[in-house]
């Protein structure tokens, strides 16, 4: 039951973008087209899930026994960067079509603060490895959900008549704020 609560909470209630405000840069930068937003969302789901598993294992089986917990941020950054590079090399060699489709989005995940933020949150909230994996995966699902919704809205906005002063970044920020308010309405979903 606890895992289900973590999953719903991570994806909807404590959405990494709309509630915790992590990963805003790719959220605003990559959400211009639905196809690119979906590609970024899929890549983030894959990387954040694996990163949560690996960083939790390293934290509990290496850093804690050696009393080096204070190095978690540095170690997590290195692990995430190495993991993204490994995934990029694997896809380039094994699945070139997927590698080409993801393009620049895969390396961008290295600098996505949401991946690091969730890894640190997992250890700060003392989640076990299974809970960390579920939290990471569903936080990434929430990221994908938010970026895909934003991309859909942005594609519709392009066809609308918007006052000149609101065109571009202002209307995107207004939409992001309204999306955040809408997701805040889900706060009472889980007690």
């Amino acid at each position: 039951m606890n895992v289900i609560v973590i999953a719903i909470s991570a994806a909807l209630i404590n959405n990494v973008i709309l509630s915790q405000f992590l990963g805003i840069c790719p959220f605003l930068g990559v959400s211009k087209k639905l196809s690119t937003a979906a590609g970024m969302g899929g890549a983030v789901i894959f990387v954040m899930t694996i990163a949560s598993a690996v960083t939790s294992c390293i934290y509990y089986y290496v850093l804690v026994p050696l009393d080096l917990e204070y190095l978690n941020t540095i170690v997590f950054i290195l692990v995430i960067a190495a993991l993204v590079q490994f995934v990029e090399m694997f896809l380039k060699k094994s699945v070139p079509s997927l590698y080409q489709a993801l393009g620049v989005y895969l390396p961008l995940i290295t600098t996505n603060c949401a991946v690091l933020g969730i890894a640190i949150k997992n250890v700060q909230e003392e989640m076990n490895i299974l809970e960390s994996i579920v939290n990471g995966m569903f936080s990434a699902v929430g990221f994908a959900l938010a970026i895909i919704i934003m991309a859909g809205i942005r594609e519709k906005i392009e066809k609308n008549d918007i006052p000149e002063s609101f065109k571009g970044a202002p209307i995107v920020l207004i939409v992001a704020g309204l999306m955040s308010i809408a997701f805040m309405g889900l706060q009472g979903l889980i007690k």
Side-chain angles (χ1 to χ4, degrees), residues 25-33 36-37 40 105 108 147 151 154:
C25 182
F27 174 67
L28 297 175
V30 184
S31 64
K32 292 178 183 171
K33 292 184 181 176
T36 57
M40 181 65 158
Y105 304 115
L108 279 176
I147 199 170
R154 286 180 78 171

Side-chain angles (χ1 to χ4, degrees), residues 44-94:
V44 169
I45 289 170
F46 182 73
V47 170
M48 196 180 292
T49 302
I50 294 173
S52 293
V54 172
T55 55
S56 289
C57 288
I58 289 174
Y59 183 78
Y60 289 115
Y61 295 123
V62 177
L63 297 180
V64 170
L66 296 175
D67 200 29
L68 297 172
E69 295 96 338
Y70 60 91
L71 292 175
N72 69 353
T73 303
I74 295 168
V75 171
F76 291 177
I77 290 170
L78 294 173
V79 166
I80 291 166
L83 179 63
V84 171
Q85 290 299 314
F86 173 74
V87 169
E88 188 176 2
M89 289 186 307
F90 175 78
L91 289 177
K92 188 175 185 179
K93 189 162 189 118
S94 302

